[in-house]
Every structure is written in structure tokens, then in C-alpha cells.
Short mmCIF file of all heavy atoms in Angstrom, two decimals:
data_model
loop_
_atom_site.label_atom_id
_atom_site.label_comp_id
_atom_site.label_asym_id
_atom_site.label_seq_id
_atom_site.Cartn_x
_atom_site.Cartn_y
_atom_site.Cartn_z
N LEU A 1 24.47 -50.65 -42.17
CA LEU A 1 23.01 -50.53 -42.27
C LEU A 1 22.61 -49.21 -42.95
O LEU A 1 21.66 -49.19 -43.74
CB LEU A 1 22.38 -50.62 -40.88
CG LEU A 1 22.40 -52.01 -40.26
CD1 LEU A 1 21.87 -51.96 -38.83
CD2 LEU A 1 21.59 -52.99 -41.09
N ILE A 2 23.33 -48.13 -42.66
CA ILE A 2 23.04 -46.86 -43.32
C ILE A 2 23.30 -46.97 -44.82
O ILE A 2 22.50 -46.52 -45.64
CB ILE A 2 23.86 -45.72 -42.69
CG1 ILE A 2 23.36 -45.44 -41.27
CG2 ILE A 2 23.79 -44.46 -43.54
CD1 ILE A 2 24.23 -44.49 -40.48
N ALA A 3 24.42 -47.59 -45.19
CA ALA A 3 24.74 -47.76 -46.61
C ALA A 3 23.69 -48.64 -47.30
O ALA A 3 23.28 -48.36 -48.43
CB ALA A 3 26.13 -48.36 -46.77
N LEU A 4 23.23 -49.68 -46.62
CA LEU A 4 22.19 -50.54 -47.20
C LEU A 4 20.88 -49.78 -47.39
O LEU A 4 20.18 -49.97 -48.39
CB LEU A 4 21.96 -51.77 -46.33
CG LEU A 4 23.03 -52.85 -46.41
CD1 LEU A 4 22.76 -53.94 -45.39
CD2 LEU A 4 23.08 -53.44 -47.81
N LEU A 5 20.54 -48.91 -46.44
CA LEU A 5 19.33 -48.09 -46.58
C LEU A 5 19.44 -47.18 -47.80
O LEU A 5 18.49 -47.06 -48.58
CB LEU A 5 19.12 -47.25 -45.31
CG LEU A 5 17.96 -46.27 -45.34
CD1 LEU A 5 16.64 -47.02 -45.27
CD2 LEU A 5 18.08 -45.28 -44.20
N ILE A 6 20.59 -46.58 -47.98
CA ILE A 6 20.79 -45.68 -49.13
C ILE A 6 20.71 -46.47 -50.43
O ILE A 6 20.06 -46.04 -51.39
CB ILE A 6 22.14 -44.95 -48.99
CG1 ILE A 6 22.10 -43.99 -47.80
CG2 ILE A 6 22.48 -44.19 -50.27
CD1 ILE A 6 23.44 -43.41 -47.42
N VAL A 7 21.35 -47.63 -50.49
CA VAL A 7 21.32 -48.44 -51.71
C VAL A 7 19.89 -48.92 -51.99
O VAL A 7 19.45 -48.92 -53.16
CB VAL A 7 22.30 -49.63 -51.58
CG1 VAL A 7 22.10 -50.63 -52.69
CG2 VAL A 7 23.73 -49.12 -51.58
N LEU A 8 19.16 -49.29 -50.96
CA LEU A 8 17.77 -49.71 -51.15
C LEU A 8 16.93 -48.56 -51.71
O LEU A 8 16.10 -48.77 -52.60
CB LEU A 8 17.18 -50.23 -49.84
CG LEU A 8 15.75 -50.74 -49.89
CD1 LEU A 8 15.63 -51.93 -50.85
CD2 LEU A 8 15.30 -51.15 -48.50
N ALA A 9 17.15 -47.36 -51.22
CA ALA A 9 16.42 -46.20 -51.74
C ALA A 9 16.77 -45.94 -53.20
O ALA A 9 15.90 -45.59 -54.00
CB ALA A 9 16.74 -44.96 -50.89
N ILE A 10 18.04 -46.13 -53.56
CA ILE A 10 18.45 -45.97 -54.95
C ILE A 10 17.73 -46.99 -55.84
O ILE A 10 17.19 -46.65 -56.89
CB ILE A 10 19.98 -46.14 -55.10
CG1 ILE A 10 20.71 -44.97 -54.45
CG2 ILE A 10 20.39 -46.25 -56.57
CD1 ILE A 10 22.21 -45.17 -54.33
N VAL A 11 17.70 -48.23 -55.40
CA VAL A 11 17.06 -49.29 -56.18
C VAL A 11 15.56 -49.00 -56.33
O VAL A 11 14.99 -49.12 -57.43
CB VAL A 11 17.30 -50.68 -55.54
CG1 VAL A 11 16.43 -51.74 -56.17
CG2 VAL A 11 18.77 -51.05 -55.64
N LEU A 12 14.91 -48.59 -55.24
CA LEU A 12 13.48 -48.30 -55.32
C LEU A 12 13.20 -47.13 -56.25
O LEU A 12 12.19 -47.11 -56.95
CB LEU A 12 12.92 -48.03 -53.91
CG LEU A 12 12.82 -49.24 -52.99
CD1 LEU A 12 12.40 -48.81 -51.60
CD2 LEU A 12 11.85 -50.26 -53.55
N ARG A 13 14.07 -46.16 -56.25
CA ARG A 13 13.89 -45.00 -57.14
C ARG A 13 14.12 -45.42 -58.61
O ARG A 13 13.40 -45.00 -59.50
CB ARG A 13 14.88 -43.90 -56.74
CG ARG A 13 14.97 -42.74 -57.64
CD ARG A 13 14.03 -41.65 -57.25
NE ARG A 13 14.20 -40.54 -58.18
CZ ARG A 13 13.96 -39.32 -57.88
NH1 ARG A 13 13.57 -39.03 -56.67
NH2 ARG A 13 14.11 -38.38 -58.77
N ASP A 14 15.13 -46.25 -58.83
CA ASP A 14 15.45 -46.66 -60.20
C ASP A 14 14.41 -47.58 -60.82
O ASP A 14 14.24 -47.60 -62.03
CB ASP A 14 16.83 -47.33 -60.25
CG ASP A 14 17.97 -46.31 -60.11
OD1 ASP A 14 17.70 -45.10 -60.22
OD2 ASP A 14 19.11 -46.74 -59.87
N VAL A 15 13.71 -48.36 -60.00
CA VAL A 15 12.67 -49.25 -60.55
C VAL A 15 11.30 -48.59 -60.52
O VAL A 15 10.29 -49.24 -60.77
CB VAL A 15 12.62 -50.61 -59.81
CG1 VAL A 15 13.92 -51.36 -59.97
CG2 VAL A 15 12.23 -50.45 -58.36
N ASP A 16 11.26 -47.30 -60.21
CA ASP A 16 10.02 -46.52 -60.18
C ASP A 16 8.99 -47.09 -59.22
O ASP A 16 7.81 -47.26 -59.56
CB ASP A 16 9.41 -46.39 -61.59
CG ASP A 16 10.28 -45.58 -62.51
OD1 ASP A 16 10.88 -44.60 -62.03
OD2 ASP A 16 10.37 -45.93 -63.71
N ALA A 17 9.43 -47.36 -58.00
CA ALA A 17 8.50 -47.82 -56.97
C ALA A 17 7.53 -46.69 -56.64
O ALA A 17 7.85 -45.51 -56.79
CB ALA A 17 9.26 -48.24 -55.72
N ASN A 18 6.35 -47.04 -56.21
CA ASN A 18 5.30 -46.07 -55.92
C ASN A 18 5.72 -45.16 -54.76
O ASN A 18 5.80 -45.60 -53.62
CB ASN A 18 4.01 -46.81 -55.56
CG ASN A 18 2.87 -45.86 -55.26
OD1 ASN A 18 2.96 -44.67 -55.48
ND2 ASN A 18 1.79 -46.44 -54.75
N PRO A 19 5.99 -43.87 -55.02
CA PRO A 19 6.42 -42.98 -53.94
C PRO A 19 5.32 -42.67 -52.94
O PRO A 19 5.60 -42.16 -51.86
CB PRO A 19 6.86 -41.71 -54.68
CG PRO A 19 6.24 -41.76 -56.00
CD PRO A 19 5.98 -43.20 -56.31
N GLY A 20 4.07 -43.00 -53.26
CA GLY A 20 2.97 -42.80 -52.32
C GLY A 20 2.88 -43.90 -51.28
O GLY A 20 2.19 -43.74 -50.27
N ASN A 21 3.56 -45.00 -51.51
CA ASN A 21 3.56 -46.12 -50.56
C ASN A 21 4.30 -45.69 -49.29
O ASN A 21 5.35 -45.06 -49.34
CB ASN A 21 4.25 -47.33 -51.20
CG ASN A 21 4.19 -48.55 -50.33
OD1 ASN A 21 4.64 -48.53 -49.21
ND2 ASN A 21 3.64 -49.62 -50.88
N THR A 22 3.75 -46.06 -48.15
CA THR A 22 4.32 -45.65 -46.87
C THR A 22 5.72 -46.20 -46.67
O THR A 22 6.62 -45.48 -46.19
CB THR A 22 3.42 -46.13 -45.72
OG1 THR A 22 2.09 -45.68 -45.94
CG2 THR A 22 3.90 -45.59 -44.39
N ILE A 23 5.95 -47.44 -47.03
CA ILE A 23 7.27 -48.05 -46.84
C ILE A 23 8.30 -47.40 -47.76
O ILE A 23 9.40 -47.04 -47.33
CB ILE A 23 7.20 -49.57 -47.09
CG1 ILE A 23 6.32 -50.22 -46.03
CG2 ILE A 23 8.59 -50.19 -47.06
CD1 ILE A 23 6.01 -51.67 -46.28
N VAL A 24 7.95 -47.23 -49.01
CA VAL A 24 8.86 -46.60 -49.98
C VAL A 24 9.18 -45.17 -49.55
O VAL A 24 10.34 -44.75 -49.58
CB VAL A 24 8.26 -46.64 -51.41
CG1 VAL A 24 9.12 -45.87 -52.38
CG2 VAL A 24 8.07 -48.07 -51.86
N ARG A 25 8.16 -44.44 -49.14
CA ARG A 25 8.38 -43.07 -48.69
C ARG A 25 9.27 -43.02 -47.45
O ARG A 25 10.17 -42.19 -47.35
CB ARG A 25 7.04 -42.40 -48.39
CG ARG A 25 7.16 -40.93 -48.06
CD ARG A 25 5.83 -40.32 -47.79
NE ARG A 25 4.89 -41.40 -47.47
CZ ARG A 25 3.60 -41.30 -47.40
NH1 ARG A 25 3.04 -40.16 -47.61
NH2 ARG A 25 2.82 -42.31 -47.10
N GLY A 26 9.08 -43.94 -46.52
CA GLY A 26 9.92 -44.00 -45.32
C GLY A 26 11.37 -44.30 -45.65
O GLY A 26 12.30 -43.71 -45.07
N ILE A 27 11.59 -45.22 -46.59
CA ILE A 27 12.96 -45.56 -47.00
C ILE A 27 13.61 -44.36 -47.68
O ILE A 27 14.77 -44.04 -47.40
CB ILE A 27 12.96 -46.81 -47.91
CG1 ILE A 27 12.59 -48.04 -47.08
CG2 ILE A 27 14.31 -47.00 -48.58
CD1 ILE A 27 12.34 -49.28 -47.89
N HIS A 28 12.87 -43.67 -48.53
CA HIS A 28 13.43 -42.49 -49.20
C HIS A 28 13.73 -41.37 -48.21
O HIS A 28 14.76 -40.70 -48.33
CB HIS A 28 12.49 -41.98 -50.29
CG HIS A 28 12.58 -42.77 -51.55
ND1 HIS A 28 11.51 -42.92 -52.40
CD2 HIS A 28 13.59 -43.46 -52.11
CE1 HIS A 28 11.87 -43.67 -53.42
NE2 HIS A 28 13.13 -44.01 -53.27
N GLU A 29 12.85 -41.16 -47.25
CA GLU A 29 13.09 -40.12 -46.25
C GLU A 29 14.30 -40.46 -45.38
O GLU A 29 15.11 -39.59 -45.06
CB GLU A 29 11.85 -39.92 -45.38
CG GLU A 29 10.72 -39.23 -46.11
CD GLU A 29 9.45 -39.15 -45.29
OE1 GLU A 29 9.43 -39.65 -44.13
OE2 GLU A 29 8.46 -38.60 -45.80
N GLY A 30 14.43 -41.74 -45.01
CA GLY A 30 15.59 -42.15 -44.21
C GLY A 30 16.89 -42.00 -44.99
O GLY A 30 17.89 -41.50 -44.46
N ALA A 31 16.86 -42.39 -46.25
CA ALA A 31 18.06 -42.25 -47.08
C ALA A 31 18.38 -40.79 -47.32
O ALA A 31 19.56 -40.40 -47.32
CB ALA A 31 17.87 -42.98 -48.41
N ASN A 32 17.36 -39.97 -47.51
CA ASN A 32 17.59 -38.55 -47.72
C ASN A 32 18.19 -37.91 -46.46
O ASN A 32 18.99 -36.98 -46.55
CB ASN A 32 16.29 -37.84 -48.11
CG ASN A 32 16.53 -36.43 -48.56
OD1 ASN A 32 17.50 -36.15 -49.25
ND2 ASN A 32 15.65 -35.53 -48.17
N PHE A 33 17.81 -38.40 -45.29
CA PHE A 33 18.38 -37.88 -44.04
C PHE A 33 19.89 -38.11 -44.01
O PHE A 33 20.65 -37.23 -43.62
CB PHE A 33 17.71 -38.56 -42.84
CG PHE A 33 18.30 -38.16 -41.52
CD1 PHE A 33 17.96 -36.95 -40.94
CD2 PHE A 33 19.19 -38.99 -40.86
CE1 PHE A 33 18.50 -36.57 -39.72
CE2 PHE A 33 19.74 -38.62 -39.65
CZ PHE A 33 19.39 -37.40 -39.07
N PHE A 34 20.32 -39.31 -44.41
CA PHE A 34 21.75 -39.64 -44.35
C PHE A 34 22.53 -39.17 -45.58
O PHE A 34 23.71 -38.85 -45.47
CB PHE A 34 21.94 -41.15 -44.17
CG PHE A 34 21.50 -41.64 -42.83
CD1 PHE A 34 20.39 -42.44 -42.69
CD2 PHE A 34 22.20 -41.29 -41.68
CE1 PHE A 34 19.98 -42.89 -41.44
CE2 PHE A 34 21.80 -41.73 -40.44
CZ PHE A 34 20.69 -42.53 -40.32
N ALA A 35 21.89 -39.17 -46.74
CA ALA A 35 22.61 -38.85 -47.98
C ALA A 35 22.18 -37.52 -48.60
O ALA A 35 22.64 -37.18 -49.68
CB ALA A 35 22.41 -39.97 -48.99
N GLY A 36 21.35 -36.78 -47.91
CA GLY A 36 20.85 -35.53 -48.46
C GLY A 36 21.94 -34.52 -48.77
O GLY A 36 21.83 -33.74 -49.73
N ALA A 37 23.00 -34.52 -47.99
CA ALA A 37 24.10 -33.58 -48.23
C ALA A 37 24.84 -33.87 -49.54
O ALA A 37 25.50 -32.99 -50.08
CB ALA A 37 25.08 -33.62 -47.06
N PHE A 38 24.72 -35.09 -50.03
CA PHE A 38 25.40 -35.47 -51.26
C PHE A 38 24.55 -35.19 -52.50
O PHE A 38 25.04 -35.31 -53.62
CB PHE A 38 25.74 -36.97 -51.23
CG PHE A 38 26.80 -37.31 -50.22
CD1 PHE A 38 26.46 -37.58 -48.90
CD2 PHE A 38 28.13 -37.33 -50.58
CE1 PHE A 38 27.42 -37.89 -47.97
CE2 PHE A 38 29.11 -37.64 -49.65
CZ PHE A 38 28.76 -37.92 -48.34
N THR A 39 23.29 -34.82 -52.33
CA THR A 39 22.41 -34.53 -53.45
C THR A 39 22.89 -33.28 -54.17
O THR A 39 23.18 -32.27 -53.55
CB THR A 39 20.96 -34.35 -52.96
OG1 THR A 39 20.57 -35.53 -52.25
CG2 THR A 39 20.02 -34.12 -54.11
N GLY A 40 22.99 -33.36 -55.48
CA GLY A 40 23.45 -32.24 -56.29
C GLY A 40 24.95 -32.19 -56.44
O GLY A 40 25.50 -31.24 -56.98
N LEU A 41 25.62 -33.22 -56.01
CA LEU A 41 27.08 -33.27 -56.09
C LEU A 41 27.54 -33.35 -57.55
O LEU A 41 28.46 -32.66 -57.97
CB LEU A 41 27.58 -34.47 -55.29
CG LEU A 41 29.04 -34.56 -54.93
CD1 LEU A 41 29.41 -33.42 -53.99
CD2 LEU A 41 29.33 -35.89 -54.25
N ILE A 42 26.87 -34.19 -58.32
CA ILE A 42 27.19 -34.39 -59.74
C ILE A 42 25.90 -34.15 -60.53
O ILE A 42 24.83 -34.58 -60.12
CB ILE A 42 27.73 -35.81 -59.98
CG1 ILE A 42 29.04 -35.99 -59.25
CG2 ILE A 42 27.88 -36.09 -61.46
CD1 ILE A 42 29.65 -37.35 -59.38
N THR A 43 26.03 -33.49 -61.66
CA THR A 43 24.83 -33.21 -62.47
C THR A 43 24.98 -33.82 -63.86
O THR A 43 26.05 -33.83 -64.45
CB THR A 43 24.62 -31.69 -62.63
OG1 THR A 43 25.77 -31.10 -63.21
CG2 THR A 43 24.34 -31.03 -61.29
N PHE A 44 23.86 -34.37 -64.33
CA PHE A 44 23.74 -34.88 -65.69
C PHE A 44 22.55 -34.16 -66.31
O PHE A 44 21.46 -34.19 -65.76
CB PHE A 44 23.49 -36.39 -65.71
CG PHE A 44 24.61 -37.21 -65.15
CD1 PHE A 44 24.50 -37.80 -63.89
CD2 PHE A 44 25.78 -37.41 -65.86
CE1 PHE A 44 25.52 -38.56 -63.37
CE2 PHE A 44 26.80 -38.17 -65.35
CZ PHE A 44 26.68 -38.75 -64.10
N ASN A 45 22.75 -33.53 -67.43
CA ASN A 45 21.65 -32.78 -68.07
C ASN A 45 20.53 -33.72 -68.48
O ASN A 45 20.72 -34.62 -69.30
CB ASN A 45 22.17 -32.02 -69.29
CG ASN A 45 23.11 -30.90 -68.90
OD1 ASN A 45 22.99 -30.36 -67.81
ND2 ASN A 45 24.03 -30.56 -69.78
N GLY A 46 19.35 -33.50 -67.90
CA GLY A 46 18.16 -34.27 -68.28
C GLY A 46 18.07 -35.64 -67.66
O GLY A 46 17.20 -36.42 -68.05
#
């Protein structure tokens, strides 16, 4: 379930879902809670 939450947040971010939406924001916050430590692991310029 945690992995599915993270994948769902990735998909919502990639399709440019409205970040002001309560559901989208909740999914991103939940995924950031579990995957936040991995942010910045790999960098691509731009």
C-alpha cells in the first residue's frame, strides 16, 4: 500500500494534476512522508 501511494503520487505529478486539490495534495504529502528521504538522490539538470 505504501508503494502504491508513492506510485500514485508519481503519476499525479507526471500528469500535472492540480496541486491545489485536496486529494492530490493529501496523496503528495503522504508519499513525501514515506519517500521524502529519497528526494534528491539522483539529479537531472533541468
